[in-house]
Amino acid sequence: MADPRPTPLDALPPLPAAFADLLDALLPAAWRDTVLASYTEPKTVVWRLNPLRGHDPAQVLPALAALAPRPIDAALGVYEVEPHWRSALTHHPLVEQGVIYIQGLASMAAVWALQPQPGEEVLDLAAAPGGKTALMAALMGNQGRIAAVEPVRARFHRMRANLQRLGVRCAQPYLKDGTVVGRLVPQRFARVLLDAPCSSQAQFTRLDPTSWQHWSPRKVRASAALQARLIHSAAEALRPGGVLVYSTCSLSPEENECIVDGLLRARDDMTLEPLPWPVELPALPGLTAWHGQTLHPDLSLARRILPTRRTDAFFIARLRKRGA
């Protein structure tokens, strides 16, 4: 029989040395203990009601009463349950029916920052598995059009199945390389979300050392090269006056501020804006310098969401294209 007692902290494998150095460089003293603790304990399970399935919260919540859900923001339909309920929630009929959707707060925050409106034409440039696309559709009331782009075939089919299960009718999935979209449909979309493929540092946990087995500084550099191509494609696809949100689940500035800084240096029609923040999240302002490199001063308007017991590591920046 497995030992139910938690593993002592000193018996857990350490985080990769290069990643630990990154945390040392990024974390203020006030946040250090909270962030480091997040890598040694299971996270609460955050989920949201899906209005596209039309169920009244007064009917849904009693069906989950045994899991003791707590509202994070009932107005936004966001709740959490304790980590030991993860399996029960994941396999609950309400999840299978698309009535509720398990989604991290930071992931939702990227869509809240985009603020898609009913009737708009929106681009989700790296859309799988479809959770952000579905939240956009919910905020748009399924009115308008979302082009949901994903280049990997298996992920594309999973996304399409998720969107169908969640009742999304306004999204059109495309199996397409996102780096060419801007060239194919320039200045078309009112809003663009680029939640870019990254080195996935948000998945790290000392409870499972396989969570970082594919990570390395080389992976960060490779991710940054792709992210730079994608953000230029996203900016090209955005119409004048439109909004672009760039996000990753990485803490590395090379994948975040440095990518946005590169776009701002290459284009004089893009500006950074403050982020709408409907739910209070543990976050730091974006960096304006890194490893001796001076970055655009407005990058302080971006936010680096810190990993805690409730939140995953994330970076979000909101930009607008100058014009009508």
Side-chain angles (χ1 to χ4, degrees), residues 89-148:
L89 184 65
T90 301
H91 297 98
H92 198 282
L94 291 175
V95 172
E96 297 173 2
Q97 297 161 13
V99 176
I100 66 175
Y101 186 73
I102 299 171
Q103 187 171 24
L105 274 174
S107 175
M108 291 186 239
V111 179
W112 296 332
L114 189 68
Q115 296 181 309
Q117 302 298 309
E120 289 184 330
E121 191 168 23
V122 180
L123 172 62
D124 191 346
L125 197 54
K132 296 181 185 67
T133 309
L135 181 53
M136 285 192 276
L139 295 177
M140 296 166 66
N142 253 338
Q143 300 176 36
R145 175 177 176 269
I146 304 171

Short mmCIF file of all heavy atoms in Angstrom, two decimals, residues 89-148:
data_model
loop_
_atom_site.label_atom_id
_atom_site.label_comp_id
_atom_site.label_asym_id
_atom_site.label_seq_id
_atom_site.Cartn_x
_atom_site.Cartn_y
_atom_site.Cartn_z
N LEU A 89 -13.64 16.10 -10.15
CA LEU A 89 -14.14 17.18 -10.99
C LEU A 89 -13.87 16.88 -12.47
O LEU A 89 -14.74 17.08 -13.33
CB LEU A 89 -13.49 18.50 -10.59
CG LEU A 89 -13.99 19.74 -11.34
CD1 LEU A 89 -15.46 20.00 -11.01
CD2 LEU A 89 -13.15 20.96 -11.01
N THR A 90 -12.67 16.40 -12.76
CA THR A 90 -12.30 16.13 -14.15
C THR A 90 -13.26 15.14 -14.81
O THR A 90 -13.59 15.28 -16.00
CB THR A 90 -10.86 15.59 -14.22
OG1 THR A 90 -9.97 16.55 -13.66
CG2 THR A 90 -10.45 15.29 -15.65
N HIS A 91 -13.74 14.16 -14.05
CA HIS A 91 -14.60 13.12 -14.60
C HIS A 91 -16.08 13.36 -14.29
O HIS A 91 -16.90 12.47 -14.51
CB HIS A 91 -14.17 11.76 -14.07
CG HIS A 91 -12.79 11.38 -14.48
ND1 HIS A 91 -11.69 11.54 -13.65
CD2 HIS A 91 -12.30 10.88 -15.64
CE1 HIS A 91 -10.60 11.14 -14.28
NE2 HIS A 91 -10.93 10.74 -15.48
N HIS A 92 -16.41 14.56 -13.82
CA HIS A 92 -17.80 14.86 -13.49
C HIS A 92 -18.62 15.01 -14.78
O HIS A 92 -18.13 15.54 -15.78
CB HIS A 92 -17.87 16.15 -12.67
CG HIS A 92 -19.17 16.32 -11.94
ND1 HIS A 92 -20.33 16.74 -12.57
CD2 HIS A 92 -19.50 16.11 -10.64
CE1 HIS A 92 -21.30 16.80 -11.68
NE2 HIS A 92 -20.83 16.41 -10.51
N PRO A 93 -19.86 14.55 -14.79
CA PRO A 93 -20.71 14.70 -15.98
C PRO A 93 -20.84 16.13 -16.47
O PRO A 93 -20.97 16.37 -17.68
CB PRO A 93 -22.06 14.13 -15.53
CG PRO A 93 -21.72 13.17 -14.43
CD PRO A 93 -20.53 13.75 -13.73
N LEU A 94 -20.80 17.11 -15.57
CA LEU A 94 -20.92 18.50 -15.99
C LEU A 94 -19.73 18.95 -16.84
O LEU A 94 -19.87 19.81 -17.70
CB LEU A 94 -21.07 19.42 -14.77
CG LEU A 94 -22.39 19.29 -14.00
CD1 LEU A 94 -22.36 20.16 -12.75
CD2 LEU A 94 -23.58 19.68 -14.89
N VAL A 95 -18.56 18.37 -16.58
CA VAL A 95 -17.40 18.64 -17.43
C VAL A 95 -17.58 17.96 -18.78
O VAL A 95 -17.35 18.55 -19.84
CB VAL A 95 -16.10 18.17 -16.74
CG1 VAL A 95 -14.91 18.27 -17.70
CG2 VAL A 95 -15.83 19.00 -15.50
N GLU A 96 -18.00 16.71 -18.76
CA GLU A 96 -18.20 15.96 -20.00
C GLU A 96 -19.26 16.61 -20.88
O GLU A 96 -19.19 16.56 -22.11
CB GLU A 96 -18.58 14.52 -19.67
CG GLU A 96 -17.50 13.76 -18.92
CD GLU A 96 -17.95 12.40 -18.45
OE1 GLU A 96 -19.12 12.03 -18.74
OE2 GLU A 96 -17.15 11.70 -17.79
N GLN A 97 -20.25 17.26 -20.26
CA GLN A 97 -21.32 17.93 -21.00
C GLN A 97 -20.95 19.34 -21.43
O GLN A 97 -21.72 19.99 -22.15
CB GLN A 97 -22.59 17.97 -20.14
CG GLN A 97 -23.16 16.60 -19.79
CD GLN A 97 -24.10 16.65 -18.60
OE1 GLN A 97 -24.54 17.72 -18.17
NE2 GLN A 97 -24.41 15.48 -18.04
N GLY A 98 -19.80 19.84 -20.99
CA GLY A 98 -19.39 21.18 -21.35
C GLY A 98 -20.06 22.28 -20.54
O GLY A 98 -19.95 23.46 -20.88
N VAL A 99 -20.74 21.92 -19.47
CA VAL A 99 -21.42 22.91 -18.64
C VAL A 99 -20.42 23.70 -17.82
O VAL A 99 -20.60 24.90 -17.57
CB VAL A 99 -22.46 22.23 -17.73
CG1 VAL A 99 -23.12 23.23 -16.78
CG2 VAL A 99 -23.52 21.53 -18.59
N ILE A 100 -19.35 23.04 -17.38
CA ILE A 100 -18.25 23.73 -16.71
C ILE A 100 -16.96 23.35 -17.42
O ILE A 100 -16.88 22.32 -18.10
CB ILE A 100 -18.17 23.40 -15.20
CG1 ILE A 100 -17.82 21.92 -14.98
CG2 ILE A 100 -19.48 23.75 -14.50
CD1 ILE A 100 -17.61 21.56 -13.51
N TYR A 101 -15.93 24.20 -17.25
CA TYR A 101 -14.66 23.96 -17.93
C TYR A 101 -13.54 24.26 -16.96
O TYR A 101 -13.50 25.33 -16.33
CB TYR A 101 -14.54 24.85 -19.16
CG TYR A 101 -13.31 24.57 -20.00
CD1 TYR A 101 -13.23 23.42 -20.78
CD2 TYR A 101 -12.22 25.43 -20.01
CE1 TYR A 101 -12.11 23.14 -21.55
CE2 TYR A 101 -11.10 25.16 -20.78
CZ TYR A 101 -11.05 24.02 -21.55
OH TYR A 101 -9.94 23.75 -22.30
N ILE A 102 -12.62 23.30 -16.81
CA ILE A 102 -11.46 23.48 -15.94
C ILE A 102 -10.44 24.33 -16.68
O ILE A 102 -9.96 23.96 -17.76
CB ILE A 102 -10.87 22.12 -15.54
CG1 ILE A 102 -11.90 21.29 -14.77
CG2 ILE A 102 -9.60 22.31 -14.71
CD1 ILE A 102 -11.48 19.85 -14.51
N GLN A 103 -10.11 25.48 -16.11
CA GLN A 103 -9.22 26.44 -16.78
C GLN A 103 -8.55 27.31 -15.73
O GLN A 103 -9.22 27.83 -14.82
CB GLN A 103 -10.02 27.29 -17.76
CG GLN A 103 -9.19 28.21 -18.63
CD GLN A 103 -10.02 28.85 -19.74
OE1 GLN A 103 -11.23 28.99 -19.64
NE2 GLN A 103 -9.36 29.26 -20.80
N GLY A 104 -7.25 27.52 -15.85
CA GLY A 104 -6.52 28.32 -14.89
C GLY A 104 -6.88 29.79 -14.96
O GLY A 104 -7.27 30.32 -16.00
N LEU A 105 -6.72 30.46 -13.83
CA LEU A 105 -7.01 31.90 -13.76
C LEU A 105 -6.15 32.70 -14.74
O LEU A 105 -6.64 33.63 -15.39
CB LEU A 105 -6.78 32.42 -12.34
CG LEU A 105 -7.92 32.29 -11.35
CD1 LEU A 105 -7.45 32.70 -9.97
CD2 LEU A 105 -9.11 33.12 -11.79
N ALA A 106 -4.88 32.36 -14.84
CA ALA A 106 -3.99 33.11 -15.72
C ALA A 106 -4.42 32.95 -17.18
O ALA A 106 -4.36 33.89 -17.96
CB ALA A 106 -2.55 32.65 -15.53
N SER A 107 -4.84 31.74 -17.54
CA SER A 107 -5.33 31.50 -18.89
C SER A 107 -6.55 32.36 -19.18
O SER A 107 -6.67 32.97 -20.26
CB SER A 107 -5.66 30.01 -19.05
OG SER A 107 -6.24 29.75 -20.31
N MET A 108 -7.47 32.43 -18.23
CA MET A 108 -8.65 33.28 -18.41
C MET A 108 -8.26 34.75 -18.50
O MET A 108 -8.85 35.52 -19.26
CB MET A 108 -9.63 33.07 -17.25
CG MET A 108 -10.30 31.72 -17.22
SD MET A 108 -11.56 31.63 -15.92
CE MET A 108 -10.93 30.28 -14.94
N ALA A 109 -7.24 35.14 -17.71
CA ALA A 109 -6.84 36.55 -17.68
C ALA A 109 -6.39 37.04 -19.05
O ALA A 109 -6.58 38.22 -19.39
CB ALA A 109 -5.74 36.76 -16.65
N ALA A 110 -5.78 36.17 -19.85
CA ALA A 110 -5.36 36.58 -21.20
C ALA A 110 -6.57 36.98 -22.04
O ALA A 110 -6.50 37.94 -22.82
CB ALA A 110 -4.59 35.45 -21.86
N VAL A 111 -7.68 36.25 -21.90
CA VAL A 111 -8.89 36.58 -22.65
C VAL A 111 -9.55 37.83 -22.07
O VAL A 111 -10.06 38.69 -22.80
CB VAL A 111 -9.86 35.39 -22.65
CG1 VAL A 111 -11.14 35.73 -23.40
CG2 VAL A 111 -9.20 34.17 -23.28
N TRP A 112 -9.56 37.94 -20.74
CA TRP A 112 -10.10 39.17 -20.13
C TRP A 112 -9.32 40.39 -20.61
O TRP A 112 -9.89 41.46 -20.81
CB TRP A 112 -10.04 39.07 -18.61
CG TRP A 112 -10.90 37.99 -18.02
CD1 TRP A 112 -12.05 37.47 -18.54
CD2 TRP A 112 -10.67 37.29 -16.79
NE1 TRP A 112 -12.55 36.50 -17.72
CE2 TRP A 112 -11.73 36.37 -16.63
CE3 TRP A 112 -9.68 37.36 -15.82
CZ2 TRP A 112 -11.82 35.51 -15.53
CZ3 TRP A 112 -9.77 36.51 -14.72
CH2 TRP A 112 -10.83 35.60 -14.58
N ALA A 113 -8.02 40.24 -20.80
CA ALA A 113 -7.21 41.36 -21.29
C ALA A 113 -7.55 41.72 -22.72
O ALA A 113 -7.44 42.88 -23.13
CB ALA A 113 -5.72 41.01 -21.17
N LEU A 114 -7.96 40.74 -23.51
CA LEU A 114 -8.31 41.00 -24.91
C LEU A 114 -9.64 41.72 -25.04
O LEU A 114 -9.82 42.52 -25.95
CB LEU A 114 -8.36 39.67 -25.67
CG LEU A 114 -8.51 39.76 -27.18
CD1 LEU A 114 -7.26 40.36 -27.83
CD2 LEU A 114 -8.82 38.39 -27.79
N GLN A 115 -10.59 41.43 -24.16
CA GLN A 115 -11.93 42.04 -24.17
C GLN A 115 -12.64 41.90 -25.52
O GLN A 115 -13.10 42.90 -26.09
CB GLN A 115 -11.84 43.52 -23.78
CG GLN A 115 -11.33 43.76 -22.36
CD GLN A 115 -11.28 45.23 -22.00
OE1 GLN A 115 -10.73 46.05 -22.74
NE2 GLN A 115 -11.84 45.59 -20.87
N PRO A 116 -12.79 40.70 -26.06
CA PRO A 116 -13.51 40.54 -27.33
C PRO A 116 -14.98 40.93 -27.18
O PRO A 116 -15.59 40.67 -26.14
CB PRO A 116 -13.35 39.05 -27.63
CG PRO A 116 -13.17 38.41 -26.29
CD PRO A 116 -12.40 39.40 -25.47
N GLN A 117 -15.53 41.53 -28.22
CA GLN A 117 -16.89 42.06 -28.18
C GLN A 117 -17.78 41.30 -29.16
O GLN A 117 -17.32 40.83 -30.21
CB GLN A 117 -16.88 43.54 -28.52
CG GLN A 117 -16.02 44.40 -27.61
CD GLN A 117 -16.49 44.37 -26.18
OE1 GLN A 117 -17.67 44.59 -25.90
NE2 GLN A 117 -15.56 44.08 -25.25
N PRO A 118 -19.09 41.19 -28.86
CA PRO A 118 -20.01 40.53 -29.78
C PRO A 118 -19.95 41.16 -31.17
O PRO A 118 -19.90 42.39 -31.31
CB PRO A 118 -21.38 40.75 -29.13
CG PRO A 118 -21.08 40.93 -27.67
CD PRO A 118 -19.76 41.64 -27.62
N GLY A 119 -19.95 40.33 -32.18
CA GLY A 119 -19.97 40.79 -33.56
C GLY A 119 -18.61 41.04 -34.18
O GLY A 119 -18.51 41.24 -35.39
N GLU A 120 -17.52 41.01 -33.36
CA GLU A 120 -16.20 41.28 -33.90
C GLU A 120 -15.62 40.05 -34.61
O GLU A 120 -16.04 38.91 -34.39
CB GLU A 120 -15.25 41.71 -32.78
CG GLU A 120 -15.54 43.08 -32.22
CD GLU A 120 -14.54 43.51 -31.17
OE1 GLU A 120 -13.98 42.65 -30.47
OE2 GLU A 120 -14.31 44.73 -31.06
N GLU A 121 -14.61 40.31 -35.44
CA GLU A 121 -13.83 39.25 -36.04
C GLU A 121 -12.50 39.16 -35.28
O GLU A 121 -11.74 40.13 -35.24
CB GLU A 121 -13.59 39.49 -37.52
CG GLU A 121 -13.01 38.29 -38.23
CD GLU A 121 -13.03 38.42 -39.75
OE1 GLU A 121 -13.08 39.56 -40.24
OE2 GLU A 121 -12.98 37.38 -40.42
N VAL A 122 -12.25 38.01 -34.68
CA VAL A 122 -11.14 37.83 -33.75
C VAL A 122 -10.28 36.66 -34.22
O VAL A 122 -10.79 35.68 -34.77
CB VAL A 122 -11.67 37.55 -32.32
CG1 VAL A 122 -10.53 37.35 -31.34
CG2 VAL A 122 -12.58 38.70 -31.87
N LEU A 123 -8.98 36.78 -34.01
CA LEU A 123 -8.03 35.72 -34.36
C LEU A 123 -7.41 35.15 -33.09
O LEU A 123 -6.89 35.90 -32.26
CB LEU A 123 -6.92 36.29 -35.26
CG LEU A 123 -5.73 35.38 -35.58
CD1 LEU A 123 -6.17 34.13 -36.34
CD2 LEU A 123 -4.67 36.15 -36.36
N ASP A 124 -7.49 33.84 -32.94
CA ASP A 124 -6.76 33.12 -31.89
C ASP A 124 -5.66 32.36 -32.61
O ASP A 124 -5.89 31.35 -33.26
CB ASP A 124 -7.71 32.17 -31.16
CG ASP A 124 -7.09 31.59 -29.90
OD1 ASP A 124 -5.87 31.71 -29.73
OD2 ASP A 124 -7.83 31.01 -29.08
N LEU A 125 -4.43 32.85 -32.48
CA LEU A 125 -3.36 32.44 -33.39
C LEU A 125 -2.66 31.14 -32.98
O LEU A 125 -1.95 30.55 -33.79
CB LEU A 125 -2.33 33.56 -33.54
CG LEU A 125 -1.37 33.48 -34.71
CD1 LEU A 125 -2.11 33.34 -36.03
CD2 LEU A 125 -0.45 34.69 -34.74
N ALA A 126 -2.83 30.69 -31.76
CA ALA A 126 -2.27 29.41 -31.32
C ALA A 126 -3.30 28.80 -30.37
O ALA A 126 -3.13 28.80 -29.16
CB ALA A 126 -0.92 29.59 -30.63
N ALA A 127 -4.39 28.29 -30.93
CA ALA A 127 -5.65 28.16 -30.20
C ALA A 127 -5.82 26.88 -29.39
O ALA A 127 -6.61 26.87 -28.45
CB ALA A 127 -6.81 28.29 -31.18
N ALA A 128 -5.17 25.77 -29.76
CA ALA A 128 -5.41 24.52 -29.04
C ALA A 128 -4.96 24.62 -27.58
O ALA A 128 -3.98 25.32 -27.29
CB ALA A 128 -4.67 23.38 -29.74
N PRO A 129 -5.68 23.98 -26.66
CA PRO A 129 -6.78 23.04 -26.87
C PRO A 129 -8.15 23.67 -27.00
O PRO A 129 -9.15 22.95 -27.05
CB PRO A 129 -6.71 22.17 -25.61
CG PRO A 129 -6.21 23.11 -24.55
CD PRO A 129 -5.22 24.01 -25.25
N GLY A 130 -8.26 24.99 -26.99
CA GLY A 130 -9.52 25.66 -27.27
C GLY A 130 -10.19 26.33 -26.09
O GLY A 130 -11.25 26.94 -26.25
N GLY A 131 -9.60 26.25 -24.91
CA GLY A 131 -10.23 26.86 -23.74
C GLY A 131 -10.36 28.37 -23.85
O GLY A 131 -11.39 28.95 -23.48
N LYS A 132 -9.31 29.04 -24.35
CA LYS A 132 -9.38 30.49 -24.51
C LYS A 132 -10.35 30.86 -25.63
O LYS A 132 -11.07 31.86 -25.53
CB LYS A 132 -7.99 31.07 -24.76
CG LYS A 132 -7.01 30.88 -23.61
CD LYS A 132 -5.65 31.49 -23.91
CE LYS A 132 -4.66 31.19 -22.81
NZ LYS A 132 -4.34 29.74 -22.74
N THR A 133 -10.35 30.09 -26.70
CA THR A 133 -11.31 30.33 -27.78
C THR A 133 -12.73 30.25 -27.25
O THR A 133 -13.58 31.09 -27.58
CB THR A 133 -11.12 29.30 -28.91
OG1 THR A 133 -9.75 29.24 -29.28
CG2 THR A 133 -11.95 29.66 -30.12
N ALA A 134 -13.00 29.24 -26.42
CA ALA A 134 -14.34 29.07 -25.88
C ALA A 134 -14.72 30.21 -24.95
O ALA A 134 -15.88 30.66 -24.94
CB ALA A 134 -14.43 27.73 -25.15
N LEU A 135 -13.77 30.72 -24.15
CA LEU A 135 -14.07 31.85 -23.28
C LEU A 135 -14.32 33.10 -24.11
O LEU A 135 -15.21 33.90 -23.79
CB LEU A 135 -12.92 32.08 -22.30
CG LEU A 135 -13.09 33.22 -21.30
CD1 LEU A 135 -14.41 33.11 -20.54
CD2 LEU A 135 -11.91 33.28 -20.34
N MET A 136 -13.55 33.29 -25.19
CA MET A 136 -13.84 34.41 -26.09
C MET A 136 -15.25 34.31 -26.65
O MET A 136 -15.99 35.29 -26.68
CB MET A 136 -12.81 34.45 -27.23
CG MET A 136 -11.46 34.96 -26.85
SD MET A 136 -10.41 35.31 -28.29
CE MET A 136 -9.75 33.68 -28.59
N ALA A 137 -15.63 33.12 -27.10
CA ALA A 137 -16.97 32.92 -27.65
C ALA A 137 -18.03 33.23 -26.61
O ALA A 137 -19.08 33.81 -26.92
CB ALA A 137 -17.12 31.49 -28.16
N ALA A 138 -17.78 32.86 -25.35
CA ALA A 138 -18.74 33.15 -24.28
C ALA A 138 -18.88 34.65 -24.07
O ALA A 138 -20.00 35.17 -23.93
CB ALA A 138 -18.30 32.46 -23.00
N LEU A 139 -17.76 35.37 -24.04
CA LEU A 139 -17.81 36.82 -23.85
C LEU A 139 -18.48 37.51 -25.05
O LEU A 139 -19.08 38.59 -24.91
CB LEU A 139 -16.41 37.38 -23.65
CG LEU A 139 -15.68 36.92 -22.38
CD1 LEU A 139 -14.27 37.50 -22.33
CD2 LEU A 139 -16.46 37.31 -21.14
N MET A 140 -18.38 36.90 -26.22
CA MET A 140 -18.98 37.45 -27.44
C MET A 140 -20.42 36.97 -27.63
O MET A 140 -21.07 37.35 -28.60
CB MET A 140 -18.14 37.06 -28.65
CG MET A 140 -16.73 37.65 -28.63
SD MET A 140 -15.60 36.87 -29.82
CE MET A 140 -16.34 37.38 -31.38
N GLY A 141 -20.91 36.13 -26.72
CA GLY A 141 -22.27 35.61 -26.86
C GLY A 141 -22.45 34.79 -28.13
O GLY A 141 -23.55 34.73 -28.68
N ASN A 142 -21.37 34.17 -28.58
CA ASN A 142 -21.39 33.39 -29.82
C ASN A 142 -21.76 34.24 -31.04
O ASN A 142 -22.22 33.72 -32.06
CB ASN A 142 -22.34 32.19 -29.71
CG ASN A 142 -21.59 30.86 -29.60
OD1 ASN A 142 -20.44 30.75 -30.00
ND2 ASN A 142 -22.27 29.85 -29.08
N GLN A 143 -21.55 35.55 -30.95
CA GLN A 143 -21.88 36.46 -32.05
C GLN A 143 -20.58 37.04 -32.59
O GLN A 143 -19.78 37.61 -31.86
CB GLN A 143 -22.80 37.58 -31.57
CG GLN A 143 -24.12 37.10 -31.02
CD GLN A 143 -24.94 38.24 -30.46
OE1 GLN A 143 -24.94 39.35 -30.98
NE2 GLN A 143 -25.64 37.98 -29.36
N GLY A 144 -20.38 36.93 -33.89
CA GLY A 144 -19.16 37.37 -34.52
C GLY A 144 -18.44 36.16 -35.11
O GLY A 144 -19.06 35.14 -35.42
N ARG A 145 -17.13 36.26 -35.23
CA ARG A 145 -16.35 35.15 -35.82
C ARG A 145 -14.98 35.09 -35.16
O ARG A 145 -14.32 36.13 -34.99
CB ARG A 145 -16.19 35.36 -37.32
CG ARG A 145 -15.30 34.31 -38.00
CD ARG A 145 -15.24 34.52 -39.50
NE ARG A 145 -14.32 33.57 -40.13
CZ ARG A 145 -13.01 33.81 -40.33
NH1 ARG A 145 -12.49 34.98 -39.98
NH2 ARG A 145 -12.25 32.90 -40.90
N ILE A 146 -14.59 33.88 -34.77
CA ILE A 146 -13.26 33.64 -34.24
C ILE A 146 -12.55 32.67 -35.19
O ILE A 146 -13.05 31.56 -35.42
CB ILE A 146 -13.30 33.04 -32.83
CG1 ILE A 146 -14.10 33.92 -31.88
CG2 ILE A 146 -11.88 32.84 -32.30
CD1 ILE A 146 -14.35 33.27 -30.52
N ALA A 147 -11.42 33.08 -35.72
CA ALA A 147 -10.57 32.19 -36.49
C ALA A 147 -9.60 31.54 -35.51
O ALA A 147 -8.74 32.22 -34.93
CB ALA A 147 -9.82 32.94 -37.58
N ALA A 148 -9.74 30.24 -35.28
CA ALA A 148 -8.94 29.50 -34.30
C ALA A 148 -7.88 28.69 -35.05
O ALA A 148 -8.21 27.69 -35.69
CB ALA A 148 -9.83 28.60 -33.46
#
